[in-house]
Amino acid sequence: MREEQLMLGGRVAMITGASSGIGAAAGRLFAAEGAAVVLMARREERLRAVAEEIAASGGRALVAVGDVAVEKDVERAVEAAVREFGHLDCAFNNAGFASSGTALHEMDGELFDHTMDVNVRGVWNCLRHQIPAMLQRGGGAIVNTSSVAGLRATGASAAYVAAKHAVIGLTRAAAAEYGERGVRVNALVVGSTRTEMMDEILRQTPELEERFAAHAIQKRMASPVEIARTAAWLCGDRSSFVTGAAVPVDGGATAI
């Protein structure tokens, strides 16, 4: 298939949380759609396995080990993208952290801070360094992972609900600020998805699985690649008039 027929042909994309789940699925999909991908996460061995899989399929992948909550790590990842591939066109800021529905008054400050650091400061750090790189390129597209919990209380912890609301706020603010300069910014309102993080939550609280599936009109959870497909579309030209949106990818959970 010619490069111009691919959704992300010739693009350079940065993906966070890329060692497993939605991020790993996005890495594979973005590469298959023609992008050179910069894979960022904390777990080097897992990242390298994803990168090797992409390379074996004829794609291009760069490993950037780091924590999105640490600004210097994000800065190094963006710099590596530009150094290795010449520019940065799009980003999928997907790294996140969720805890089970601990009652607000029982949650300790350390867990609250960690939830905010990964989910909010992580997106903030990424936007701060990705946007300047895209402005140098003349524009770009960014997708941030929020959640159904970004629109309403879902039974997740209060910290997680607050953090995912904040992701949508950051998305809208950035879209408004940079829209006339060619940078589009959108968020995914993700429903329950069978990721490694979800599996850990279900191991702790197995009774949640039936409830999570019941929330969707389709009465099931998403697979990671179903979420990644929407991120890829938002990063490409086929969504050129979409910005500042909180796009539901939730099996209809927010429709009822």
Side-chain angles (χ1 to χ4, degrees):
M1 186 178 291
R2 294 198 307 273
E3 187 175 87
E4 61 268 21
Q5 294 177 302
L6 296 169
M7 195 182 303
L8 299 172
R11 306 293 174 89
V12 177
M14 177 177 168
I15 301 167
T16 71
S19 61
S20 66
I22 295 169
R28 299 182 193 103
L29 177 64
F30 280 43
E33 287 289 346
V37 294
V38 179
L39 307 174
M40 183 178 181
R42 294 174 299 163
R43 296 178 293 181
E44 182 172 3
E45 186 175 340
R46 296 287 296 272
L47 273 183
R48 293 201 180 281
V50 176
E52 288 167 8
E53 184 180 343
I54 290 169
S57 299
R60 296 178 294 162
L62 176 69
V63 168
V65 180
D67 184 343
V68 293
V70 178
E71 184 174 2
K72 282 295 182 184
D73 287 359
V74 175
E75 183 178 18
R76 280 192 291 267
V78 173
E79 289 174 348
V82 174
R83 183 173 60 249
E84 181 72 16
F85 299 121
H87 50 87
L88 181 67
D89 299 294
C90 51
F92 181 25
N93 297 325
N94 170 72
F97 171 78
S99 57
S100 58
T102 305
L104 188 152
H105 74 282
E106 295 175 345
M107 176 175 280
D108 62 49
E110 184 176 349
L111 181 56
F112 178 89
D113 289 344
H114 184 64
T115 303
M116 289 294 174
D117 282 347
V118 176
N119 293 300
V120 184
R121 183 168 290 278
V123 171
W124 166 265
N125 287 337
C126 287
L127 292 171
R128 288 194 67 216
H129 292 281
Q130 293 160 353
I131 288 172
M134 292 179 188
L135 291 175
Q136 290 178 3
R137 178 74 167 157
I142 297 172
V143 180
N144 301 319
T145 297
S146 183
S147 164
V148 173
L151 297 180
R152 66 186 187 209
T154 60
S157 72
Y160 184 77
V161 171
K164 289 304 185 179
H165 273 71
V167 169
I168 292 176
L170 282 172
T171 296
R172 289 171 171 161
E177 191 165 347
Y178 295 99
E180 291 185 27
R181 301 177 70 180
V183 178
R184 295 186 297 110
V185 190
N186 292 289
L188 299 183
V189 177
V190 175
S192 299
T193 306
R194 289 308 304 246
T195 64
E196 188 177 275
M197 185 167 63
M198 174 62 78
D199 286 342
E200 179 59 32
I201 290 171
L202 295 179
R203 274 193 291 272
Q204 296 175 24
T205 320
E207 64 271 17
L208 289 176
E209 182 164 7
E210 184 176 346
R211 191 172 81 187
F212 287 153
H215 284 164
I217 289 173
Q218 296 178 332
K219 304 306 179 192
R220 66 175 179 87
M221 294 189 192
S223 68
V225 74
E226 290 180 294
I227 311 302
R229 288 179 189 135
T230 307
W233 176 73
L234 287 168
C235 281
D237 289 340
R238 297 173 195 180
S239 60
S240 57
F241 202 52
V242 182
T243 194
V247 180
V249 195
D250 62 1
T254 54
I256 55 176

